[in-house]
Amino acid sequence: MTALHVLTLSLVVIGAALAVWFRDLLASVIALAGASLLLSLEFYLLQAPDVAIAEAGIGAALTAAIYILAIRKTRPKEEE
Amino acid sequence: MKRWLFLAALLVVAGYLISGGVWLHPFGEPARSEMDRFFIENAQKEVAANNVVTSIVFDYRGYDTLGEATVLFAAVVGVALLLRKVKG
Amino acid sequence: MSVIVRTISRVVAPVALAFGAYVIMHGHLTPGGGFQGGAVVASVVALLVVAFGAERWKKWIKVLLPLEDTAALAFVILAFLGVGATFFRNVLAGSGGLFGAPVPQPGPNPGALNTAGTLPLMNWAVGFKVLAGLGAVVLLLALFGREDG
């Protein structure tokens, strides 16, 4: 059980580091959504399913959608 | 000078984080659990709900939910005011 | 978006919508509740907006914003129902009427849908509030700015 916690939290940290490291903004948002999804898995392992559902809905889906919409609106200005 | 300041701040923050991880309270053993036991024993009888978390959120601590609803309402009203289509 | 995204969205959206409705409806029995279920349904709205474009859902703004206000008002009215004793008093619990049945037995039990007093009604109110509010925010953000973007 402890190994599973360590693995999940390490993957969360790796996902967050990738979100900072990627130059492409779209790939960065996908990495952030993956880290958020793994964080919701960690909440589920800690027996907090309420928080897990909220984290998966808000953190993984809605935040990624809002970021993708913002990137789509501003992309041409950043490439110049 | 700036580099040494940065290094000192890094050491202090890292020390706090590592000591927090080392001296973490054991999981599932709260220091004071009178309130927890009251909710677990009485929530099913008083509120008649199986989900004790929902009975706390909407009944015992209803004001918190009212505040959350107010925050969300203010946020939606702000977005709707900012991003509305101006005619002409 | 591409054909692949649209096809996958057509498959995923009804399932996620049904799951969100389940989470709201069984908020007093299983993990979850109004906020979580509303967030799931709002993520379906975000998926449809990203996949099919915002222009197609433009007229839903006129539905979502009043729905959010109505649900907020319903939540406050439900809280005022118990003002004879205290604010947020659960007057319907155990009264035998709507949602007024007691739990089948204390401790672990399969659960009955017709329990918990005002809690299911508040779950519906907060669920509609969250899904309409977050869905309207996503839709407004998608409609903002250049038309070709």
Side-chain angles (χ1 to χ4, degrees):
Chain A
M1 201 62 196
T2 313
L4 203 56
H5 284 301
V6 170
L7 180 68
T8 313
L9 287 174
S10 312
L11 285 176
V12 169
V13 172
I14 289 172
L18 282 179
V20 177
W21 184 69
F22 277 138
R23 302 301 295 178
D24 186 15
L25 288 176
L26 205 58
S28 182
V29 168
I30 301 297
L32 197 62
S36 192
L37 205 59
L38 284 162
L39 192 62
S40 92
L41 174 65
E42 174 65 24
F43 281 135
Y44 181 72
L45 289 178
L46 288 173
Q47 301 175 7
D50 292 87
V51 193
I53 297 173
E55 174 73 26
I58 300 278
L62 267 179
T63 322
I66 288 177
Y67 275 138
I68 287 173
L69 286 173
I71 288 170
R72 208 202 268 169
K73 298 278 181 198
T74 56
R75 174 63 63 86
K77 280 183 189 167
E78 281 189 6
E79 280 173 355
E80 285 168 6
Chain B
M1 178 62 197
K2 200 178 272 181
R3 178 170 297 178
W4 288 110
L5 213 61
F6 173 75
L7 205 63
L10 183 72
L11 275 179
V12 168
V13 172
Y16 266 115
L17 286 180
I18 290 170
S19 62
V22 167
W23 292 319
L24 193 64
H25 198 77
F27 182 70
E29 297 169 18
R32 306 290 299 264
S33 59
E34 291 90 355
M35 194 68 100
D36 309 355
R37 268 190 279 107
F38 175 82
F39 283 141
I40 291 170
E41 282 165 8
N42 292 359
Q44 273 189 323
K45 200 166 53 203
E46 286 182 1
V47 193
N50 271 345
N51 191 350
V52 178
V53 176
T54 303
S55 70
I56 290 172
V57 165
F58 285 115
D59 194 314
Y60 292 109
R61 298 284 182 265
Y63 280 104
D64 282 358
T65 310
L66 188 64
E68 173 250 312
T70 312
V71 166
L72 187 64
F73 182 76
V76 172
V77 167
V79 169
L81 275 176
L82 268 177
L83 303 186
R84 72 191 188 281
K85 297 276 182 184
V86 182
K87 293 258 174 67
Chain C
M1 281 276 165
S2 65
V3 179
I4 298 173
V5 176
R6 287 187 186 186
T7 312
I8 300 269
S9 305
R10 282 203 185 91
V11 178
V12 168
V15 180
L17 208 59
F19 178 68
Y22 162 78
V23 169
I24 296 176
M25 201 167 163
H26 290 75
H28 55 298
L29 299 176
T30 54
F35 187 79
Q36 285 91 346
V40 170
V41 179
S43 72
V44 174
V45 174
L47 177 71
L48 292 177
V49 165
V50 170
F52 294 100
E55 284 297 319
R56 191 167 163 178
W57 311 99
K58 199 173 180 179
K59 57 179 178 292
W60 279 87
I61 293 268
K62 289 192 175 64
V63 179
L64 287 177
L65 284 176
L67 181 63
E68 207 255 348
D69 304 344
T70 314
L73 199 63
F75 178 67
V76 177
I77 287 172
L78 281 171
F80 264 114
L81 273 185
V83 88
T86 52
F87 203 46
F88 277 104
R89 169 88 184 149
N90 198 339
V91 284
L92 291 178
S95 67
L98 179 69
F99 294 119
V103 283
Q105 76 209 32
N109 64 73
L113 202 59
N114 192 24
T115 56
T118 54
L119 260 60
L121 300 172
M122 281 185 180
N123 265 326
W124 278 108
V126 172
F128 272 113
K129 182 176 160 44
V130 171
L131 83 88
L134 293 179
V137 164
V138 170
L139 201 50
L140 281 168
L141 281 173
L143 282 170
F144 181 70
R146 297 189 313 275
E147 297 298 323
D148 57 326

